[in-house]
């Protein structure tokens, strides 16, 4: 297929007419599909149903340290849950604190604690005139929402195929005291699906921050969320890399079983240095009497260890692959060679990130919506919801069925073509 | 028995000698009892064990509104959980937001949200020079810890037998713009066990705060925690009283099933006005993707409704009464008429509050500890851990067995006598 940009005006107009007829037909189908959020499908949730039968009134109600899992107490998680979450994050249990059901809450809390109480004795951020976070883009809208809601200034950093542009990151972090953090999704990044190279992780660990309370907010949300048995991305363990670099306190790592067991009823954890954990516990002890230890033990009994987690994730992958492939097949078949969009074939995670021609993303998403397919809002993958190029669109293939995904993808490419033609005609 | 204060020095010295011998003997017993926290006993936790079998892989995984309880979503709780928690708090579901496993976390969050974001458009407290909370005393140490940790100034308000001294409360709230809140445990108060009279609740609802963002933090922690079937304290519903008084937004009410089902794995909720709920949700949506809906449904299936909760609480009461009565019997028998201490016989809740002679509480708690019985630290029931009279001691009878409680109480009265005699001798 010839690139659209090389077509004549007449060719484009003729093409547009055909595509508009197709679009009209698609609108008539009454589609109602939601590809907006990274929400597991029902069959994925069913995979963990047996977990509901694994801890009954007949079972022992004590953790390995003898604590009654039903009563108050244990701030940082039962030992076996720390072990499981440590294995998930490729670190050791002494680095881990286990929380409640959502890593997003831990992240919000971690930033809001820094605002109100400060980190390791540094000035609380709410007392400062200016606090900035670096945001590799495109990135995760809920990260940006946390920093935006707390009045933290966000700075876009280009996200390359091997991670954030480290020249830019070093420039800001090593010189500007107001830069207090960077949001990272280091593995199967949300939304581009890329994983950080060893070089990027090492440069990250070797930052020389101007601010003592600069931290890397390392959201390892997709640590074990591979799509292929034989194509697994692996990243370096940021905790030990920071230790080696003499920056042991510089990272907060987050993970959860939200997309492993149940999205609303999983177990979330943080990994960080002992000094940070001690600092954190001073506030935790005021904030809570402890998290749900029954659910922690339920998870440990169901997954046992890393092998159990990995085996379970392969069952997820079997359900996810056909959905990803449905989208990618349609993209390749329909848009290959047209030069009106680019995308990456991810090895894991929850998203396919699509870059349209500059200035087309909003119109494409709107056009999809008018035909019954809801995508993540264009711009959502950028701080303040503002994609400077109006180009990036996040596709979340997990919730619909593979058949629905194919239908949705077909509508999507139709909208991409139509909007791109309009854009090209405009420029003629 | 004659009051100690009427005894001669010789009598007191002779008595002291006998009591010291008794104390020595008690020390020899090697007691190891903890009456420091309001922690349910193991047999109480066993009451809810069948709840672990009530939601299995065979059951329907949807809430009454069709939402999949396993997936993301539903910020404010599934409808049937709102209904159950509303019944517990004597309000209606439209006033209720259901959270995770601990009401303490909701309280911390509610205050920290006011610090960082402000309430209903008012200035965030972290931007103000001075923020004050009223603290009826004696009160709950974890309330005071929240406000202390956030740098909020605390003002002691006397707690009478029918609630806080409302003249004092009105004086502060109605005139001082810096007064932003009051901590209340309106029913079976922690630690005194008293419940607020209708007059106190009405005066509370009719406050005319100088600060628009003044709120009553109404911790209805013991809403259904009666000790006797035939002696149940009832209090007015603060939510509707505030509505009647034209102050609908003035109260945040908190409750949980921590001392109903499992202390670490219950369900917690807040009740407040619709305007406050809308305000709250703006932050909640940034803070979390939702709380554990599986556990919410588990609770609903187990308790069904208010009647189910009440019936369950009577089983708790049957286990708690002998412990309370063991302590009260010993107090009456051993200290009755001596005028070296006073206490209230509560109709519910988790504590017996003891007032020793002025200047004696710390020494009594220390003496108990030296013989193996750990009490809540003296002073803990006051802001900053400072009881100006050094008089109040909180006894938490729930965790030990009735036999252990009797032993502990016997040691306690021995320590009260010894320390009181020393105090009286000092004053001669």
């Amino acid at each position: 297929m010839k690139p659209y940009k090389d077509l004549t005006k007449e060719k484009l107009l003729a093409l547009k007419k055909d595509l508009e007829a197709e679009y009209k037909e698609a609108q008539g189908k009454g589609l109602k599909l939601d590809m907006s959020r990274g929400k597991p499908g029902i069959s994925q949730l069913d995979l963990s149903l047996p977990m509901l039968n694994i801890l009954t009134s007949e079972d022992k109600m004590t953790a390995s340290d003898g604590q009654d899992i039903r009563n108050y107490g244990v701030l940082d998680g039962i030992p076996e849950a720390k072990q499981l979450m440590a294995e998930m994050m490729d670190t050791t249990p002494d680095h881990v604190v286990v929380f409640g059901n959502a890593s997003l809450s831990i992240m919000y809390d971690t930033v809001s604690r820094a605002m109100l109480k400060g980190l390791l004795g540094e000035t609380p951020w709410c007392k400062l005139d200016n606090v900035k976070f670096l945001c590799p883009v495109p990135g995760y809208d809920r990260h940006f929402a946390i920093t935006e809601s707390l009045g933290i200034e966000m700075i876009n950093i280009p996200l390359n195929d091997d991670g954030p542009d480290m020249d830019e990151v070093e420039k800001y972090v090593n010189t500007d005291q107001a830069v207090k953090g960077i949001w990272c999704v280091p593995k199967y990044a949300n939304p581009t699906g890329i994983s950080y190279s060893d070089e990027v992780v090492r440069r990250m660990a070797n930052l020389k921050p101007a601010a003592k309370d600069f931290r890397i907010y390392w959201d390892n949300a997709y640590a074990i969320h591979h799509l292929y048995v034989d194509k697994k991305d692996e990243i370096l363990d940021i905790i030990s890399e920071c230790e080696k670099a003499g920056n042991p306190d510089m990272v907060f790592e987050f993970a959860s079983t939200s997309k492993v067991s149940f999205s609303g009823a999983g177990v979330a954890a943080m990994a960080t240095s002992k000094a940070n954990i001690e600092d954190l516990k001073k506030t935790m002890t005021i904030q809570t009497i402890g998290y749900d230890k029954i659910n922690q033990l339920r998870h440990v009994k169901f997954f046992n260890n890393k092998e159990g987690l990995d085996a379970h994730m392969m069952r997820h992958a079997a359900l996810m692959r056909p959905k990803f492939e449905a989208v990618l097949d349609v993209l390749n078949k329909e848009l290959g060679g047209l030069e009106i969009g680019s995308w990456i074939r991810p090895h894991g995670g929850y998203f396919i990130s699509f870059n349209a021609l500059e200035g087309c993303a909003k119109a494409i998403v709107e056009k999809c919506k008018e035909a019954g397919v809801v995508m993540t809002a264009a711009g959502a993958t950028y701080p303040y919801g503002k994609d400077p190029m109006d180009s990036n669109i996040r596709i979340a293939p997990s919730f619909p069925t593979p058949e629905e995904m194919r239908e949705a993808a077909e509508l999507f490419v139709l909208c991409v073509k139509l909007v791109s033609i309009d854009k090209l005609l405009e420029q003629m």
Side-chain angles (χ1 to χ4, degrees), chain A residues 22 29 326 330 333-334 403-415:
Chain A
E22 264 188 71
K29 280 191 201 164
V330 173
K333 207 179 98 214
E334 296 292 329
E403 296 68 37
E404 290 172 332
M405 268 323 298
R406 181 168 293 276
E407 273 195 300
E410 275 161 2
L411 179 81
F412 176 73
V413 294
L414 193 55
C415 296

Side-chain angles (χ1 to χ4, degrees), chain A residues 31-35 365 368-375 408 411:
Chain A
L31 289 182
K32 235 187 134 180
L33 295 170
D34 191 337
M35 305 196 289
V365 169
C368 286
K369 195 175 155 197
E370 281 163 17
V373 173
V374 177
M375 324 268 306
L411 179 81

Side-chain angles (χ1 to χ4, degrees), chain A residues 355-398:
Chain A
N355 284 320
L357 293 182
E358 194 173 335
C360 290
K362 271 195 189 141
I364 292 169
V365 169
E366 184 55 33
K367 222 170 179 60
C368 286
K369 195 175 155 197
E370 281 163 17
V373 173
V374 177
M375 324 268 306
T376 309
T381 53
Y382 282 75
Y384 312 106
K386 283 182 197 149
D387 174 358
M389 309 276 274
D390 185 24
S391 161
N392 188 250
I393 298 172
R394 185 181 82 164
I395 302 171
S398 53

Side-chain angles (χ1 to χ4, degrees), chain A residues 158-180:
Chain A
L159 181 70
N160 300 326
D161 288 355
D162 63 346
D165 179 329
M166 288 308 296
D167 291 339
E168 284 286 296
V169 171
E170 286 163 0
K171 188 188 83 185
Y172 282 107
V173 173
N174 297 355
T175 63
D176 187 350
Q177 275 206 37
V179 173
K180 301 295 190 187

Side-chain angles (χ1 to χ4, degrees), chain A residues 107-135:
Chain A
M107 291 182 239
Y108 178 88
D109 247 33
T110 306
V111 180
S112 90
R113 184 180 301 116
M115 290 289 292
L116 285 170
K117 312 283 297 173
L119 297 173
L120 285 178
E122 297 299 308
T123 309
W125 299 349
C126 71
K127 305 286 180 207
L128 302 176
D129 290 330
N130 207 352
V131 176
K132 300 174 192 168
F133 259 57
L134 305 185
C135 301

